[in-house]
């Protein structure tokens, strides 16, 4: 089955927003084993939207439209789709009640305007999909040829939960066999090395399949099975996941789609009842920011240091002037003393340090742009690693953050 | 004139990458005063790409294709476009020489493979646009009806400079009058208030026009003039920009498209030969990270503190236990002592502090999620501000960073 995406919104045509919904939906559709050959964007214009929908229905089995379901006159997706399907709009009492409840719960009920009741109108015969994060319901329509249009709201915090909860299972039910998948996330290894390790599995893949995705400093493997139900799919995926554990061991930090590396590290620290601190030079707070973005990180993180100047490294972390002079600020020796000193100053069980040359300037022949040392001190034991990243300033800093988290994780799982 | 965008690449259809090129091109096209009614994405498939190009040429004056100009067999954009325009591919000696030079300069010349010479082939009669950041040249083709196809490379670091340098001027030359614009960036004011202040200007706009863009904690106004050349356009824009300065005064931090708020703040600090430090609780390093992302920020920033726990606020910043007990960690009093203490500890001329409840948890009736206090100490003088942000954790942290930078800027320009 083929699926086609139409993103609706003048703000997309004007470039005021980046169309992240299209990337989100495209990835989900690929994961479900459906083919997507076309994506398009149209504005809030009746004629062009109608043309786009008719064209899409002529060449694809399923058309997913996102956006244009709001309460204003500009929002036309529902009206135009109903016209194309030859349906009139009728009020859905269930949706009207949900809108009333939404305003009672979230906002002042006086905030409902007559516009809002427009969102309770649905094309006759359409399947209504409840929106648990807004007032515009999702809608599914089918024409006499069996072609399907799925209308979804535009805001990412509405479309994503609706897709996960209702649309993905619906699409799975349309297929003779459903598609189920798990994500095996691996760190501490490069992309090409990781792919070499599973080359035979990738060559031999049938059901489940195995697909690698390179992320900044990580490799994710999607294991996907076709099966009549989730239980059967899990049974098919289990040996593959076991084999991946056999090959990558504790380099796998999660098999949960939503869990990030920083969440895995914070969870490890909580489990071991340890605290961590950070001493950052070239990453200038990004590493701490990443750790602190995990809700509840305050249980494992009390304080941290940004030490750009040599003076700050000496004063806050106790790095010795001799080390700075002999080896320089960007050196394994300095990274080690930064990590040790940070753990001591913060009275933390663990500490990460980063010192490097992020670019674009400041590189020399001996110490080029992209050279970064990461230090990790756990229970007084220090380890450092040297990296030579080849990206721009932003990318080099991102990589340094991921490699620092990876190094801490490696040390923690050895305890 | 109408412009249509076609993004080429299976990685877009699979959702492996977010299509930022489309947003970039769409914004630039709107700024040039051209209309864009359609965007689409197709994969590296000959038949579907041909259909997409023919459809686009049937309804738009200009089609811009991005991607698919690489050296591999998968890359088909040039081949398919040449077919649609009835042109054969011929080697362009100038491009061949550029490719040779590129490899000599950037890479090992042994790295050239026979594939690379494919990039020197161009459709007969096409205008070749040099690529200063890669090996695939841009190409411009025109058919007998005067419809135009512009082929651009896919990597953002190649497409952007090529568009700025050659494609935007080319598109301007196609129009009876060119479109020129400047961006006036305003901080220290909310979006609706800013728009009210210029409501009469927006009502009366003809040439130049005035368009507001809300950014996180900032408002940007684009002033756009139609004129036969840049000089005339500048003369048209000047009174409008003067009028904006008259109304917003020093809330305008730049009229340069590329200058960010943090760059403006770092430039102010450099100009005044001052240093700054940061003491962060809920933003956990993001504020420092933003400042340090400005190349050369090391001239104004030596060290900073992440003080999540009360203990850290006392120890590193000298916040008094009495203040923490009486007013709580999230209070104007604590924010003030954090800023003062940070400036003292870092021996910096200026300090910013942030303390708040970013969410999702930790809110109470008195101190709800989104409550943030920002402190600013400049030459010993302290000022605090209270904010109640209504976003999620990430958004609240972003707003806090911008408002902190704004506060520092306000204090610096008063000196």
């Amino acid at each position: 089955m083929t699926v086609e995406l139409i993103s609706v919104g003048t703000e997309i045509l004007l470039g005021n927003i980046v169309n992240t919904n299209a990337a989100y939906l495209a990835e989900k559709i690929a994961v479900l084993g459906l083919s997507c050959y076309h994506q398009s964007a149209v504005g809030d214009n009746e004629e062009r939207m109608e043309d786009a929908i008719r064209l899409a229905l002529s060449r694809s089995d399923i058309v997913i439209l996102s956006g244009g379901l709001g309460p204003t006159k500009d929002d036309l997706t529902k009206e135009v789709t109903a016209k194309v399907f030859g349906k009139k709009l009728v009020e859905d009492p269930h949706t009207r009640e949900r809108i009333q409840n939404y305003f009672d719960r979230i906002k002042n009920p006086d905030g409902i305007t007559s516009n809002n009741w427009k969102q309770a109108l649905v094309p006759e015969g359409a399947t209504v999909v409840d929106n648990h994060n807004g007032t515009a319901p999702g809608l599914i329509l089918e024409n006499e040829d069996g072609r399907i249009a799925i209308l979804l709201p535009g805001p990412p915090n509405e479309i994503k939960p609706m897709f996960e909860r209702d649309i993905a299972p619906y699409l799975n039910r349309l297929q003779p066999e459903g598609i189920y998948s798990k994500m095996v996330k691996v760190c501490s290894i490069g992309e090409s090395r990781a792919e070499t390790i599973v080359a035979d599995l990738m060559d031999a893949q049938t059901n489940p399949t195995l697909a690698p995705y390179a992320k900044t400093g990580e490799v994710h493997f999607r294991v996907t099975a076709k099966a009549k139900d989730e239980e059967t799919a899990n049974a098919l995926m289990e040996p593959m996941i076991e084999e991946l554990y056999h090959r990558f061991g504790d380099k796998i930090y999660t098999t949960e789609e939503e869990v990030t590396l920083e969440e895995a590290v914070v969870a490890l620290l909580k489990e071991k009842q340890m605290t961590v601190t950070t001493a950052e030079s070239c990453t200038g707070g990004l590493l701490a920011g990443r750790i602190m973005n995990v809700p509840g990180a305050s249980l494992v993180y009390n304080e941290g240091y940004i030490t750009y100047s040599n003076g700050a490294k000496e004063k806050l972390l106790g790095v010795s002037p001799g080390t700075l002079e002999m080896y320089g600020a960007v050196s394994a020796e300095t990274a080690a003393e930064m990590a040790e000193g940070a753990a001591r100053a913060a009275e933390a069980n663990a500490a990460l340090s980063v010192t490097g040359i992020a670019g674009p300037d400041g590189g020399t022949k001996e110490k080029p742009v992209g050279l970064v040392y990461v230090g990790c001190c756990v229970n007084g034991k220090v380890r450092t690693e040297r990296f030579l990243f080849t990206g721009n300033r932003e990318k080099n800093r991102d990589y340094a953050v991921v490699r620092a988290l990876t190094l801490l994780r490696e040390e923690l799982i050895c305890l």
Side-chain angles (χ1 to χ4, degrees), chain A:
Chain A
M1 274 197 308
T2 55
V3 179
E4 175 156 354
L5 305 181
I6 300 179
S7 305
V8 178
T10 303
E11 69 277 18
I12 295 169
L13 289 186
L14 290 174
N16 294 341
I17 61 167
V18 174
N19 192 355
T20 53
N21 279 348
Y24 167 80
L25 291 171
E27 188 180 354
K28 292 293 168 183
I29 283 159
V31 167
L32 288 167
L34 299 161
S35 299
C36 174
Y37 297 130
H38 295 95
Q39 296 175 4
S40 59
V42 289
D44 306 306
N45 171 284
E46 196 170 333
E47 195 186 324
R48 286 189 286 270
M49 200 189 300
E50 185 177 335
D51 286 349
I53 296 170
R54 289 193 192 280
L55 175 65
L57 286 170
S58 76
R59 63 189 179 187
S60 301
D61 299 310
I62 301 168
V63 182
I64 300 183
L65 292 115
S66 55
L69 297 182
T72 74
K73 276 190 187 162
D74 282 351
D75 295 297
L76 295 170
T77 307
K78 193 167 58 183
E79 288 73 9
V80 175
T81 309
K83 183 181 167 200
V84 171
F85 279 74
K87 302 287 180 192
K88 57 178 188 197
L89 296 174
V90 292
E91 185 169 275
D92 178 45
H94 168 73
T95 299
R96 190 181 169 100
E97 193 188 325
R98 286 188 63 88
I99 292 172
Q100 182 72 59
N101 290 343
Y102 180 87
F103 276 93
D104 288 348
R105 200 174 71 240
I106 304 284
K107 299 188 184 175
N108 189 327
D110 302 336
I112 309 189
T113 66
S114 58
N115 280 347
N116 292 109
W117 300 125
K118 174 174 178 275
Q119 297 189 301
L121 295 174
V122 308
E124 229 174 357
T127 303
V128 176
V129 181
D130 288 346
N131 184 343
H132 296 273
N133 301 281
T135 49
L139 295 165
I140 302 175
L141 291 88
E142 193 172 335
N143 70 11
E144 57 276 15
D145 303 327
R147 300 282 166 112
I148 293 165
I150 301 175
L151 280 57
L152 300 176
N157 68 325
E158 298 181 25
I159 196 172
K160 289 182 184 178
M162 188 182 285
F163 193 93
E164 301 288 338
R165 185 192 153 107
D166 291 303
I167 306 302
Y170 168 80
L171 292 171
N172 248 342
R173 284 195 301 273
L174 292 179
Q175 305 189 77
E177 292 187 298
I179 303 275
Y180 303 88
S181 75
K182 289 199 184 278
M183 197 65 113
V184 177
K185 299 188 179 182
V186 184
C187 62
S188 303
I189 191 165
E191 184 194 356
S192 56
R193 175 108 189 81
E195 289 189 24
T196 309
I197 287 175
V198 296
D200 59 317
L201 297 178
M202 306 228 343
D203 285 343
Q205 61 178 319
T206 51
N207 189 18
T209 58
L210 184 67
Y213 297 84
K215 303 279 168 186
T216 301
E218 307 180 26
V219 186
H220 298 179
F221 288 97
R222 189 178 285 284
V223 180
T224 307
K226 252 186 216 208
K228 65 178 196 310
D229 57 38
E230 192 166 357
E231 199 183 336
T232 317
N234 284 339
L236 282 167
M237 287 187 279
E238 206 173 290
M240 176 72 90
I241 291 171
E242 260 178 41
E243 187 59 33
L244 290 174
Y245 266 106
H246 179 68
R247 298 188 184 196
F248 290 109
D250 50 25
K251 290 188 173 61
I252 295 173
Y253 70 82
T254 187
T255 54
E256 303 284 327
E257 182 104 36
E258 316 74 34
V259 173
T260 61
L261 180 57
E262 55 268 29
E263 284 172 347
V265 169
V266 168
L268 262 178
L269 287 163
K270 280 186 190 165
E271 179 195 314
K272 295 182 187 296
Q273 298 187 293
M274 290 172 71
T275 54
V276 70
T277 183
T278 50
E280 301 178 67
S281 186
C282 63
T283 48
L286 286 187
L287 173 58
R290 184 81 75 96
I291 294 171
M292 303 268 270
N293 211 20
V294 179
S298 56
L299 288 169
V300 302
Y301 193 102
N302 291 316
E303 64 185 81
Y305 317 92
I306 297 153
T307 54
Y308 213 74
S309 68
N310 282 355
K313 292 181 183 76
E314 292 172 20
K315 185 180 73 176
L316 291 171
L317 308 174
V319 175
S320 95
T323 302
L324 288 165
E325 201 177 321
M326 190 168 326
Y327 305 102
V330 179
S331 65
E333 290 76 7
T334 297
E337 288 189 28
M338 284 172 72
E340 263 182 310
R344 195 170 48 232
E347 297 177 57
N349 308 108
L352 283 171
S353 66
V354 186
T355 179
I357 298 153
D361 308 314
T364 63
K365 193 153 185 192
E366 289 72 37
K367 297 192 175 178
V369 165
L371 179 67
V372 173
Y373 290 91
V374 171
C376 177
C377 174
V378 172
N379 293 335
K381 185 185 147 229
V382 185
R383 192 182 135 197
T384 63
E385 274 203 85
R386 178 186 185 278
F387 301 99
L388 190 56
F389 302 123
T390 54
N392 59 15
R393 183 175 177 91
E394 199 185 330
K395 208 77 194 145
N396 290 340
R397 286 159 43 114
D398 280 349
Y399 268 101
V401 166
V402 172
R403 299 317 294 252
L405 289 169
T406 303
L407 185 56
L408 175 57
R409 183 177 172 277
E410 287 174 8
E411 293 301 302
L412 290 175
I413 55 181
C414 291
L415 293 182

